[in-house]
Amino acid sequence: MPKIKTNSGSKKRFTLTGTGRVKRKHAYKSHILTKKTKKQKRNLTHIAIVANVDEKRVKALLGM
């Protein structure tokens, strides 16, 4: 069987944790930050875990 290609966009956006979960960043943190509150920007900084329903799909894009 041929190897499965990794999706390049997904490779840049997602990383795996030690336990095999998928980490992601929050959206809305890149520009137009002046109208967002300090609390909103601070909460968007933290890393999030991909939801269980999407995890299988993301791992397929990562070639796993």
Side-chain angles (χ1 to χ4, degrees):
M1 282 188 97
K3 291 183 179 177
I4 298 172
K5 283 193 173 182
T6 302
N7 183 285
S8 297
S10 300
K11 184 170 54 177
K12 297 167 192 170
R13 287 173 171 82
F14 301 106
T15 54
L16 286 177
T17 64
T19 56
R21 302 293 304 273
V22 184
K23 292 191 296 187
R24 66 173 177 86
K25 288 187 176 180
H26 284 282
Y28 307 110
K29 187 68 181 9
S30 58
H31 62 98
I32 315 176
L33 298 173
T34 52
K35 61 175 74 171
K36 294 174 183 128
T37 63
K38 287 180 189 177
K39 182 178 180 180
Q40 190 178 5
K41 289 184 278 192
R42 183 173 63 244
N43 289 335
L44 290 173
T45 300
H46 304 302
I47 298 296
I49 301 292
V50 171
N52 291 333
V53 292
D54 298 323
E55 198 167 309
K56 185 177 177 183
R57 190 169 25 158
V58 172
K59 283 186 175 179
L61 291 171
L62 294 173
M64 299 175 173

